[in-house]
Amino acid sequence: MTDQPHARPAEPGPRTAPGANAGTGAAPHDYTDAVERALGALDLDTKVRLLSGQDMWSLPAVPAIGLRSLVMSDGPIGVRGRHWSAADPSVALPSPTALAATWDPELARRAGRLLAQEARRKGVHVLLAPTVNLHRSPLGGRHFECYSEDPLLTGVMGAGYVRGVQEGGVGTTVKHFVGNDAETDRFTVDNRIAPRPLHELYLAPFEHIVTQARPWGIMTAYNQVNGSTMTEHHHLVTEVLRGAWGFDGCNVSDWTAARNTVRALRGGLDVAMPGPRTVFGAPLAAAVRAGEIAESEVDAAVRRVLLLAARTGCLDGVPPAAPADAPQRIDGRAVARELARRAVVLLRNEPVGQTPADGARPVLPLDPAALRRVAVIGAAARDARVLGGGSATVFPARIVSPLAGLRAALPDDVEVVFATGADPRTRTPHARDGFTLRARYLAADGRLLAETPQFDGKVQVLDSFPDGVTRQELHAVELTGSFVPRITGSHTLALAGAGRLRLTLGESVLFDGDGDGDAPEGTDPFEAFLNPPEHRVTTDLAADQELALTLRFVPHSLGLGGGLDALNFVLGHLEPQLDADAEIAEAVRAATGADAAIVVVATTGEVESEGFDRADLRLPGRQDELVARVAAANPRTVVVVNSGSPVELPWRDQVPAVLLSWFPGQEAGTALADVLLGDHEPGGRLPTTWPARLADAPVTTVTPTDGALPYTEGVFIGYRAWQRGTTAPAYPFGHGLGYTRWEYESLDTTPDSVRVRLRNAGDRPGREVVQIYLAPAGDTSGAPERPAHWLAGFGTVEAGPGESAETEIPLPGRAFEVWSEPDGDWRRIPGTYTVEAAHSSADIRLTARITAG
């Protein structure tokens, strides 16, 4: 037996000493003199301009002091840059829930380094990420962009991401500070959170990242917390974030979140985005001249902006914070593929049949040599949903679907048959396969202002029109090119956009009319802009016949208010389809007699996205029926769940294998094939509890009443709350199977750390995530009510068959503390604790006792 060199804890070590580039791993720079020189050369009007976006994504340059324009971009899974365009494709990594499912902060760090490389290539200096709000309720519509229900796992993974990005010389803005844990009424909701859960849960990931990774930026949220909007929250921003935690970075508002000039500046906000018209800029200068605010208060904010500029290389005369050997030439496809396969959670893996004989092997991994015919079923198998959408949208150069990935990985003599089975989408998918498209921006006299390639049939601008295009000259946009149908039959084309739409295909005009429509009452404005009502037309087409296509769009207006340039219109496409019953029947026929049936089920942008919360946890459409029918026809049915957060799986006991792929990024199909065929182990563990039914979930209230949403559950969310109930979840926090078995051999403890020794008892190499929980044991007099146990640390081991490995995991002091509301500070709870070494929160393998003083 040999100890493995790959074993490591996941809990970071001591806090890095504060410095201009603390958290990057490089020697710190002192930018104080450079910042003061630059500040001293600025007049009031120039200072206030630096606190307000000059457009959607950037701050103004001041050439007189050597300050270049600082550019920001959305960046949780990829760096889109300043344009919503496929002209400069982006690597698309898996969703943050997938990243958290790896339980590997070093992998998060590598992802961050790749994104820093992408940012530098695109001229971006600051990423608007990571999102570290918690999964308070499974109904949260944007949970795919967050990490976990647990504050420690969220903080550790977020810190890894921040380190990686900033090691590449690019800033981060950890968001959304704080309490943006749902989407309903997110611009106005007042989240009422008592001090103890606020500090122990919702602030805890931000605190961990600030103290351990030293981010250069924070983004304050739209919502209120306890009566004060976060862009004006002096206590949480100035006293807690900056004071208690020592944050020295720049505080940027969420887009359009800043509402009051004086209160925002005094609340600790540094930059109001986007521009050009915000509560800062000219209104702030006027407030200073009127005596409502001191210029010294403006100076404090400007210093932080100049420090961010210096760190990111936007201030001449000082070295940027990143080392000269910042990572370069990272293979984006390879990182995306590794992350996707490491994130796959194997929820269930049983031998075929109810009473298998001794020695029967689970259905996964599939043996390619034993396969002659494989059925791949589900709309998401061919048209993978690889990202969550909303502000995190990027445009990758390629997307590998599960169907394409399996066809490429299986031997040539294996027949792969496909059937849609059940299409859950209520909106028509964007035109992509078979289409070659470009966007032409035209003046009223027909002059071509600009032309850009298109990733798909969605043309979108949020500020920053293509070079050569201005709002004043732009009259129309034409989405033009060609379409080669793959199938003969009745094709559906869909159009959406607030303006005049004219669709020409070949020699025929298929639509010429107004695209306006009313969004449902109460729709989030951003969601309404992204998904305007659509109009559908059908036409009979022959396979392999190339047709010229043009969709001309004349917008009724340009902009989203505040002077922001914006337009959005869409061409969608659906191939000929059978009726719903016939589609399922065709899938059953495809599955019957196949050596394996792989069914891919998914959520859609209509049920899981930014801008709204979910109404339920059901898979949309008839996907549940599809799985049940296929499973009845083929006992070797494997279900792949393509969602960003939990969905109900009522058929989970009817199939031998269930995998969760999350939103898996551009390499979805290659990574899935790696796992299904056994080239790599599914390495993921659940970062959030998976309920069997929404009705069983402990927290299901995400809709405010009279503008307020009380967090009445206190500290009991996620697995902390499930432990108090009588109903077990479908799959507990931390759950995930591999292709080998692990025996936990020994657990040695001290009050400061835990050492766990394990043996790989299977016949394949493997990786195990060792989870350490603390549980009160014996007398802890005077302590407030606490969960039955809570995650205190985690680490990973890797070993070959029969080999043993050890990992040493620190026990942080915070794990023994609670927030004392009377004291307004942390309080250590002495006493006896049980240390649990676990495979999941519900699968405890070894225990030991320790005494904390």
Side-chain angles (χ1 to χ4, degrees):
M1 296 188 297
T2 60
D3 293 344
Q4 299 300 299
H6 302 293
R8 61 178 183 269
E11 174 66 12
R15 171 176 168 168
T16 305
N21 64 338
T24 67
H29 298 294
D30 185 352
Y31 292 126
T32 304
D33 290 345
V35 166
E36 291 302 319
R37 281 196 304 271
L39 178 64
L42 301 176
D43 59 22
L44 175 62
D45 291 316
T46 307
K47 291 175 186 176
V48 298
R49 280 200 302 119
L50 290 178
L51 305 185
S52 181
Q54 68 177 349
D55 53 31
M56 189 72 170
W57 305 112
S58 68
L59 299 182
V62 183
I65 61 169
L67 178 66
R68 291 182 295 283
S69 178
L70 186 147
V71 177
M72 308 177 198
S73 171
D74 286 312
I77 67 158
V79 183
R80 188 175 59 248
R82 299 180 65 161
H83 300 281
W84 287 67
S85 167
D88 184 9
S90 308
V91 172
L93 299 178
S95 63
T97 43
L99 183 58
T102 70
W103 290 61
D104 188 344
E106 282 304 309
L107 190 54
R109 192 173 189 169
R110 286 178 55 205
R113 288 172 174 167
L114 168 65
L115 295 179
Q117 172 181 283
E118 283 277 281
R120 293 194 308 272
R121 180 177 66 80
K122 288 174 172 273
V124 169
H125 307 103
V126 176
L127 292 186
L128 305 173
T131 305
V132 298
N133 301 109
L134 295 186
H135 297 180
R136 172 180 172 263
S137 165
L139 291 176
R142 202 175 179 180
H143 281 349
F144 62 86
E145 196 177 314
C146 309
Y147 289 109
S148 167
E149 69 187 28
D150 182 78
L152 178 65
L153 177 59
T154 297
V156 171
M157 295 301 295
Y161 174 99
V162 167
R163 285 193 185 94
V165 172
Q166 293 185 175
E167 283 167 352
V170 176
T172 57
T173 55
V174 187
K175 64 184 187 182
H176 306 87
F177 188 76
V178 62
N180 186 184
D181 309 301
E183 293 293 279
T184 303
D185 295 346
R186 60 177 172 162
F187 296 99
T188 58
V189 61
D190 182 9
N191 292 320
R192 307 283 177 83
I193 313 173
R196 185 180 168 209
L198 182 60
H199 283 268
E200 291 188 18
L201 296 180
Y202 304 102
L203 288 171
F206 292 93
E207 180 184 10
H208 186 101
I209 295 168
V210 166
T211 58
Q212 300 295 333
R214 309 301 293 170
W216 300 343
I218 289 280
M219 181 189 290
T220 41
Y222 292 119
N223 54 275
Q224 302 176 61
V225 171
N226 300 330
S228 175
T229 184
M230 282 308 306
T231 53
E232 302 169 9
H233 212 303
H234 182 272
H235 169 62
L236 290 180
V237 173
T238 302
E239 297 175 2
V240 175
L241 173 65
R242 296 197 189 281
W245 303 348
F247 174 67
D248 68 348
C250 186
N251 175 11
V252 179
S253 76
D254 205 341
W255 266 225
T256 74
R259 295 152 196 171
N260 181 277
T261 300
V262 174
R263 291 199 303 268
L265 192 73
R266 289 206 167 134
L269 185 67
D270 297 323
V271 174
M273 291 295 290
R277 293 196 290 273
T278 76
V279 299
F280 288 168
L284 181 54
V288 173
R289 292 184 174 112
E292 297 173 356
I293 202 160
E295 188 168 352
S296 60
E297 296 175 87
V298 174
D299 289 348
V302 175
R303 284 188 182 95
R304 291 187 283 265
V305 172
L306 292 172
L307 176 57
L308 179 61
R311 285 169 163 168
T312 56
C314 291
L315 187 62
D316 289 346
V318 293
D325 59 349
Q328 296 179 5
R329 294 183 296 279
I330 301 171
D331 186 336
R333 287 185 181 180
V335 173
R337 182 173 182 172
E338 180 181 0
L339 204 165
R341 68 190 178 216
R342 288 275 302 278
V344 171
V345 179
L346 182 57
L347 296 174
R348 176 178 170 85
N349 192 23
E350 300 293 329
V352 174
Q354 297 298 317
T355 56
D358 291 342
R361 299 182 67 85
V363 68
L364 292 179
L366 300 174
D367 180 3
L371 301 174
R372 291 294 175 265
R373 183 169 174 269
V374 174
V376 180
I377 295 167
R382 186 177 60 193
D383 302 314
R385 189 178 184 201
V386 301
L387 48 83
S391 61
T393 298
V394 295
F395 306 97
R398 73 171 199 163
I399 290 176
V400 183
S401 70
L403 178 61
L406 283 164
R407 279 180 168 157
L410 286 167
D412 292 340
D413 60 352
V414 177
E415 180 187 8
V416 178
V417 295
F418 170 76
T420 300
D423 193 331
R425 296 168 293 195
T426 58
R427 291 183 68 91
T428 308
H430 303 156
R432 184 182 303 162
D433 291 334
F435 290 82
T436 302
L437 299 170
R438 61 191 185 278
R440 304 177 75 243
Y441 295 79
L442 304 171
D445 60 5
R447 282 182 299 112
L448 179 65
L449 303 175
E451 185 170 336
T452 62
Q454 280 293 122
F455 172 72
D456 58 19
K458 185 164 190 170
V459 179
Q460 189 170 75
V461 170
L462 274 177
D463 202 52
S464 301
F465 279 123
D467 292 342
V469 180
T470 65
R471 182 191 292 210
Q472 292 72 27
E473 279 199 295
L474 181 62
H475 173 70
V477 185
E478 289 183 346
L479 180 65
T480 188
S482 64
F483 172 42
V484 181
R486 297 184 296 187
I487 299 173
T488 297
S490 180
H491 290 249
T492 299
L493 295 165
L495 311 89
R500 188 79 179 181
L501 293 161
R502 179 183 172 92
L503 174 63
T504 305
L505 183 64
E507 301 297 323
S508 302
V509 176
L510 300 183
F511 183 89
D512 189 356
D514 201 280
D516 277 357
D518 295 327
E521 186 176 351
T523 301
D524 182 291
F526 186 65
E527 171 64 16
F529 169 74
L530 291 178
N531 294 300
E534 67 177 19
H535 304 267
R536 296 186 178 190
V537 296
T538 59
T539 184
D540 291 332
L541 301 175
D544 302 324
Q545 178 184 351
E546 183 173 356
L547 298 167
L549 177 147
T550 297
L551 173 59
R552 181 179 175 86
F553 175 62
V554 181
H556 288 328
S557 64
L558 294 169
L560 280 176
L564 295 178
D565 295 329
L567 66 82
N568 181 53
F569 71 101
V570 180
L571 173 67
H573 172 249
L574 272 177
E575 289 185 332
Q577 292 183 302
L578 302 172
D579 65 53
D581 290 338
E583 291 280 12
I584 291 179
E586 182 186 51
V588 171
R589 286 193 297 271
T592 302
D595 297 305
I598 299 166
V599 185
V600 183
V601 295
T603 59
T604 67
E606 293 81 41
V607 300
E608 186 182 13
S609 185
E610 178 181 351
F612 57 90
D613 291 313
R614 294 196 282 172
D616 56 55
L617 301 184
R618 294 190 297 272
L619 285 167
R622 297 175 64 178
Q623 294 180 101
D624 287 331
E625 178 186 354
L626 172 67
V627 173
R629 294 274 301 276
V630 169
N634 191 321
R636 298 181 64 82
T637 294
V638 177
V639 182
V640 179
V641 182
N642 182 190
S643 70
S645 48
V647 292
E648 294 176 2
L649 310 174
W651 35 258
R652 65 187 184 279
D653 294 331
Q654 301 172 34
V655 297
V658 182
L659 300 101
L660 173 60
S661 67
W662 311 99
F663 295 146
Q666 67 177 57
E667 301 300 317
T670 52
L672 182 61
D674 287 342
V675 170
L676 289 174
L677 302 180
D679 294 330
H680 293 272
E681 185 179 41
R685 304 293 184 265
L686 286 179
T688 198
T689 306
W690 209 268
R693 303 180 308 155
L694 174 61
D696 299 333
V699 181
T700 58
T701 302
V702 294
T703 301
T705 300
D706 297 327
L709 181 62
Y711 284 31
T712 55
E713 68 281 352
V715 297
F716 294 97
I717 67 169
Y719 67 90
R720 292 166 165 82
W722 281 95
Q723 295 160 356
R724 308 171 84 199
T726 58
T727 303
Y731 301 104
F733 175 79
H735 172 73
L737 307 175
Y739 289 157
T740 189
R741 296 180 295 108
W742 291 92
E743 293 180 355
Y744 283 57
E745 296 183 324
S746 65
L747 170 64
D748 298 317
T749 64
T750 73
D752 301 316
S753 67
V754 172
R755 181 176 290 273
V756 184
R757 187 175 184 85
L758 304 86
R759 185 175 70 87
N760 182 346
D763 57 5
R764 291 173 54 101
R767 175 181 180 270
E768 174 73 334
V769 177
V770 181
Q771 302 163 42
I772 301 297
Y773 296 86
L774 279 184
D779 183 24
T780 52
S781 300
E785 183 182 13
R786 288 183 288 174
H789 69 183
W790 54 90
L791 186 69
F794 57 93
T796 61
V797 296
E798 296 180 17
E803 295 178 338
S804 292
E806 287 187 349
T807 181
E808 185 171 3
I809 301 170
L811 287 178
R814 181 58 57 79
F816 300 94
E817 297 176 344
V818 299
W819 182 262
S820 170
E821 296 187 4
D823 299 331
D825 204 350
W826 292 96
R827 173 189 166 202
R828 187 174 177 89
I829 306 298
T832 303
Y833 291 83
T834 299
V835 177
E836 303 169 340
H839 176 74
S840 77
S841 63
D843 185 359
I844 311 302
R845 301 294 179 88
L846 295 173
T847 62
R849 292 287 182 94
I850 61 171
T851 300

